[in-house]
Amino acid sequence: MTTLNDRDALLENLGLDAQNKAALGKLLNTGNIAQASEGADGRMKATVRINPDEICWDPSILVLPHGGDLDLELINDDQNTHCALLPSNGDKKFIWLVNHSKGRASLNLDGPGYYWYSSPSGNDEGRGLTAVIVVLGDVPPEARLDRPDQPRPF
Amino acid sequence: MTTSDYVDAGEAVDQGRLSGKVAGGEIAPPVTENLTYERILDARSEPENWLTYYGTYDGQRYSTLDQINTENVSRIGPAWIFQAGVSGIIAGTSTYSFEATPIVVDGVMFLSGWDGWVWALDGRTGKEIWRYKHAVPFDVSLCCGNVNRGVAVASGKVFFVTANAHVIALDAGTGKRVWDKTYGDVRAGESGTLAPIVVKNLVIVGSSGGEFGVRGHLDAFDVETGEHQWRSYMVPKPGEPGSESWPADGEAWARGGGNCWLTGTFDPETNLLYWGTGNPAPDFDGGVREGDNLYTDSIVAIDVDSGQIRWHYQCTPHDVWDYDSMSECILFERDGRKLLAHFDKNGYMFVLDRTNGERVSITPFVDRITWGAISRDGQVVPKIYPEEEGVEVHFYPGPAGAKEWTHAAYSPKTGWFYVPIQDVGATAARRRREFREGIPYWSAGVAVDIEEAVGYLSAFDADGNEKWRWRNELPMCASVLATAGDLVFAGEPSGEFNAYDARTGDLLWQFQCGSGHHSSPVTYAIDGRQYIAVPVGWGGWAEGFLPGMLGAGHGSALIVFALPEQTPSRGDH
Ligand SMILES: [Cu+2]
């Protein structure tokens, strides 16, 4: 048995942190976590990239402080073509990312909650190019229930 | 390496632009611009359209179209199919289901799917005109499936709710968002599943989430601006009328349920909305909420202008079986009396005077009722329910009810109600738990019968006398449509879509749709040709009403039927 602190080392030892080591793909949810930054106008900003031979969005968990508009930069440093299908209010957003390319997506998410996105091409998703955008925060006060504060989970 | 080394991939585009259907975005003809309250009020006079959730405000799900009739229905076939299959990972993959009622206005169909989808389609060909997709969080609390029951359309806008409890107005021409309001608290486990209803200048929506211990409510927004007009809670606060039906101490009321998770009906003469409310929370442990628990499991009459409750009738006081009373109240008249009929999950048909809530009759409509009994004078006597901690009891009907949310129809021509019936029991054992916000609050272990589940489609007169019954080896879990062609349409869980003779119950036509039915068929006409449309896609809260079919394929198609085009019109033969 190992503890949580050994997670990265264990993934590496077991060969689950890269494509075609122990497993065929890079295991989902083994990537980095990052927070979006927020501009003075309230728009949020972040960059996700695909590093060479990793088949993983970096970060694979992107945290937004609240719902709203996100300007996302997408960079493909890999030597294969990928794409992105991203959640956004209105319609999902799609972009091709050929080898060594850089693109943009502007997304509107009204959270709270988390949203999946992926590269829906050639089973990129199954091999690791599946990631998540987490939206923190609460719904507006007028949408909440008129009742005393209720106990939340420990 | 410098930035200039990168190939410019440009800006991400709407996925719909790559669908082969929406070449750069198309515009629907302006059919909804003059869709006013007056027109919706008089919807029966334009049977070529299906203008509001039940077709008309009275909830009858009846159309005066009669081109398709008992003589020729055997010759109808698919006119077109809309395939809504989608790419990407969705919330509630295991529970998504196509449960919407299509709305049709002068040749254009407006339709919602699961997971935040809305489409405008050409009603004659099924070609997609535009689409809208709301981003639904993967971790949204679903109560109890990834489902949506449809849109409302008025004055150039399409209204719908999302699983994360937003009510959204789209431009009916373009599908672009006009306004967007949050009306529920997803952290508390609230969600949205119903089709909104537009009355006067208001779009009215209710909350879902009764299994999470929320406080159910109905909300009204201004059609044009989205400004909030009123909220009506279905569980009274201490001191408010009805609060004496909750424990005086503690906060049981604050987590009491009573959600309005299905669309209500409306009578312009009484100016009242008739809305069914959901179960109290916790569902099965009555010990922590002694009393009748108003206004859960009730038919509530609400003044549409003010949102105030005028009267209520509680179908299952102190419910400990999960018998929501959220289903439709069908408005009809008899002997000059203004009545409403309601087929409750608890197995009884209630007929009330809709001006004051007075009881007219109560009649059982399913064979097996063991949870308790309601006498003709309205006395409710509980018999079997989860009472002792950990002790299993078995009762009929199970928590999905003798009839769940799917709707009955009423034909003014025959004067009969057509009811999809589920005759299924369940075993439950009380397991008391502490309430925690946003965590399911059932307080029981429940298993719905898998082996022994049957159903039927029955016709009842207004006194509750059964006129005919069509038996099925599976429960009937889809809404019924009645037409002036003396036809009744209803789908089966196993995929068959059926047409019956409204007077005899004879099965006249059947088509295997490839997935089970759990939606609401409608009928409409374009250029004199009558169509029957049914969204098909099994799923939803199947563990509650038919766990024996949890493994069935989901499906996601809308199938539209018509007579062959060369068919002579009625009267020519
Ligand atoms: Cu319920």
Side-chain angles (χ1 to χ4, degrees):
Chain A
M1 291 292 286
T2 56
T3 67
L4 195 64
N5 296 332
D6 302 322
R7 187 171 186 272
D8 288 344
L10 188 61
L11 286 168
E12 194 183 341
N13 288 346
L14 294 172
L16 298 176
D17 63 338
Q19 62 171 332
N20 223 6
K21 277 170 76 182
L24 295 182
K26 171 156 175 163
L27 204 63
L28 296 182
N29 302 323
T30 54
N32 296 327
I33 304 180
Q35 286 173 281
S37 63
E38 189 174 358
D41 59 353
R43 288 185 79 85
M44 293 165 283
K45 241 182 149 126
T47 299
V48 294
R49 53 202 320 147
I50 305 168
N51 297 319
D53 294 337
E54 281 191 3
I55 305 285
C56 180
W57 296 100
D58 183 12
S60 70
I61 300 174
L62 173 64
V63 181
L64 313 190
H66 54 77
D69 293 308
L70 170 71
D71 295 319
L72 193 62
E73 183 177 54
L74 300 115
I75 299 173
N76 181 11
D77 282 321
D78 197 23
Q79 288 169 321
N80 290 299
T81 294
H82 303 291
C83 61
L85 181 61
L86 299 147
S88 185
N89 291 319
D91 199 355
K92 296 183 184 191
K93 299 285 184 181
F94 182 86
I95 187 167
W96 277 114
L97 296 164
V98 300
N99 318 0
H100 211 68
S101 67
K102 183 191 261 187
R104 301 168 305 281
S106 87
L107 310 181
N108 177 257
L109 297 170
D110 57 31
Y114 65 87
Y115 304 79
W116 287 106
Y117 69 95
S118 65
S119 168
S121 165
N123 198 24
D124 274 0
E125 293 142 312
R127 296 186 307 136
L129 276 171
T130 301
V132 70
I133 300 172
V134 183
V135 177
L136 304 179
D138 249 312
V139 299
E142 69 272 15
R144 289 183 214 161
L145 294 170
D146 180 13
R147 60 178 184 177
D149 281 344
Q150 298 293 300
R152 285 192 170 175
F154 299 114
Chain B
M1 186 185 298
T2 62
T3 320
S4 60
D5 292 328
Y6 285 105
V7 174
D8 182 11
E11 175 87 25
V13 300
D14 284 355
Q15 190 198 17
R17 292 188 62 175
L18 308 176
S19 68
K21 291 174 175 173
V22 189
E26 286 189 28
I27 310 284
V31 292
T32 66
E33 299 300 321
N34 64 354
L35 184 53
T36 58
Y37 167 61
E38 286 67 32
R39 259 181 82 189
I40 301 173
L41 204 53
D42 197 23
R44 184 143 285 136
S45 74
E46 38 183 307
E48 71 276 19
N49 293 327
W50 192 274
L51 294 184
T52 190
Y53 183 68
Y54 297 107
T56 45
Y57 278 140
D58 56 24
Q60 293 181 354
R61 292 190 51 73
Y62 171 79
S63 168
T64 58
L65 293 179
D66 61 0
Q67 183 180 79
I68 299 171
N69 56 46
T70 51
E71 296 294 306
N72 61 23
V73 68
S74 63
R75 291 193 286 118
I76 67 171
W80 54 265
I81 296 175
F82 174 68
Q83 291 278 8
V86 292
S87 53
I89 300 168
I90 68 169
T93 317
S94 62
T95 63
Y96 87 86
S97 167
F98 208 164
E99 297 189 356
T101 295
I103 298 288
V104 181
V105 188
D106 294 339
V108 181
M109 178 182 287
F110 300 94
L111 177 68
S112 67
W114 54 95
D115 210 56
W117 289 96
V118 181
W119 302 276
L121 308 173
D122 183 322
R124 189 195 325 256
T125 63
K127 190 170 189 293
E128 184 177 298
I129 301 170
W130 56 249
R131 75 188 205 186
Y132 178 92
K133 171 74 174 83
H134 204 75
V136 173
F138 198 68
D139 54 349
V140 69
S141 296
L142 294 170
C143 186
C144 299
N146 190 351
V147 301
N148 185 277
R149 305 213 169 78
V151 304
V153 178
S155 58
K157 294 180 198 62
V158 177
F159 306 94
F160 74 107
V161 305
T162 65
N164 60 338
H166 285 238
V167 53
I168 294 172
L170 304 178
D171 182 301
T174 62
K176 302 284 183 232
R177 244 189 323 183
V178 178
W179 55 256
D180 177 352
K181 299 285 171 178
T182 314
Y183 76 99
D185 188 346
V186 292
R187 287 220 181 269
E190 284 197 290
S191 51
T193 52
L194 86 176
I197 183 171
V198 170
V199 179
K200 304 182 187 179
N201 65 322
L202 301 174
V203 53
I204 298 153
V205 296
S207 57
S208 297
E211 324 319 317
F212 290 82
V214 295
R215 185 177 176 220
H217 53 93
L218 204 60
D219 289 80
F221 296 84
D222 184 87
V223 162
E224 293 304 326
T225 64
E227 200 182 314
H228 192 251
Q229 302 298 303
W230 50 256
R231 171 173 282 193
S232 183
Y233 280 105
M234 294 301 143
V235 180
K237 265 187 159 169
E240 291 178 352
S243 60
E244 67 285 351
S245 66
W246 290 89
D249 55 327
E251 295 184 343
W253 66 272
R255 42 191 87 144
N259 287 268
C260 304
W261 57 273
L262 260 194
T263 312
T265 51
F266 173 67
D267 178 0
E269 289 178 35
T270 59
N271 204 40
L272 296 174
L273 295 164
Y274 302 96
W275 220 286
T277 64
N279 60 274
D283 300 54
F284 297 95
D285 182 3
V288 299
R289 48 171 176 81
E290 289 302 337
D292 281 355
N293 307 137
L294 293 171
Y295 301 97
T296 67
D297 284 3
S298 297
I299 294 162
V300 179
I302 293 154
D303 182 285
V304 72
D305 298 317
S306 67
Q308 280 173 358
I309 296 175
R310 293 287 184 243
W311 58 256
H312 70 276
Y313 187 95
Q314 192 172 40
C315 298
T316 314
H318 191 71
D319 173 17
V320 279
W321 306 268
D322 191 7
Y323 289 153
D324 311 57
S325 294
M326 74 296 149
S327 61
E328 72 286 338
C329 297
I330 301 176
L331 313 187
F332 71 109
E333 265 156 62
R334 201 179 48 159
D335 306 329
R337 208 164 171 199
K338 295 164 74 64
L339 304 175
L340 71 77
H342 166 90
F343 295 86
D344 200 90
K345 275 169 83 174
N346 72 18
Y348 287 84
M349 167 189 183
F350 293 79
V351 177
L352 307 180
D353 182 321
R354 71 175 182 268
T355 65
N356 56 18
E358 204 174 279
R359 181 183 58 254
V360 173
S361 67
I362 302 178
T363 320
F365 67 88
V366 65
D367 286 351
R368 293 180 288 193
I369 300 179
T370 62
W371 65 269
I374 308 181
S375 59
R376 291 199 170 262
D377 64 355
Q379 299 307 306
V380 180
V381 182
K383 288 178 185 157
I384 303 171
Y385 52 95
E387 192 179 12
E388 305 281 330
E389 185 72 9
V391 177
E392 288 188 336
V393 293
H394 185 272
F395 54 87
Y396 287 98
K403 174 180 152 304
E404 209 212 355
W405 72 264
T406 53
H407 306 299
Y410 171 77
S411 166
K413 219 175 146 188
T414 59
W416 296 348
F417 297 88
Y418 302 94
V419 190
I421 293 168
Q422 314 178 134
D423 192 352
V424 189
T427 300
R430 202 194 84 187
R431 299 282 179 190
R432 182 163 289 173
R433 59 158 299 153
E434 289 299 308
F435 174 76
R436 297 281 169 221
E437 190 167 53
I439 306 292
Y441 191 38
W442 284 44
S443 291
V446 185
V448 176
D449 298 353
I450 289 184
E451 298 297 334
E452 218 282 293
V454 297
Y456 28 98
L457 179 73
S458 287
F460 295 96
D461 69 15
D463 295 316
N465 299 310
E466 193 173 44
K467 309 307 284 188
W468 54 255
R469 177 186 292 200
W470 183 84
R471 292 174 188 279
N472 196 25
E473 63 274 17
L474 292 169
M476 294 297 277
C477 315
S479 298
V480 178
L481 168 70
T483 73
D486 277 332
L487 292 172
V488 166
F489 290 87
E492 296 182 42
S494 45
E496 289 84 2
F497 189 45
N498 299 334
Y500 306 84
D501 185 314
R503 294 177 190 278
T504 63
D506 289 339
L507 183 61
L508 302 178
W509 170 85
Q510 190 169 62
F511 185 89
Q512 169 55 251
C513 292
S515 180
H517 292 258
H518 197 42
S519 76
S520 303
V522 302
T523 186
Y524 62 97
I526 302 175
D527 292 341
R529 190 180 190 206
Q530 185 185 355
Y531 298 86
I532 309 281
V534 63
V536 186
W538 185 243
W541 182 51
E543 61 271 37
F545 55 88
L546 187 39
M549 283 195 63
L550 270 169
H554 281 275
S556 60
L558 174 92
I559 307 183
V560 179
F561 300 90
L563 288 165
E565 288 210 76
Q566 65 278 16
T567 300
S569 64
R570 199 177 61 93
D572 291 351
H573 56 241

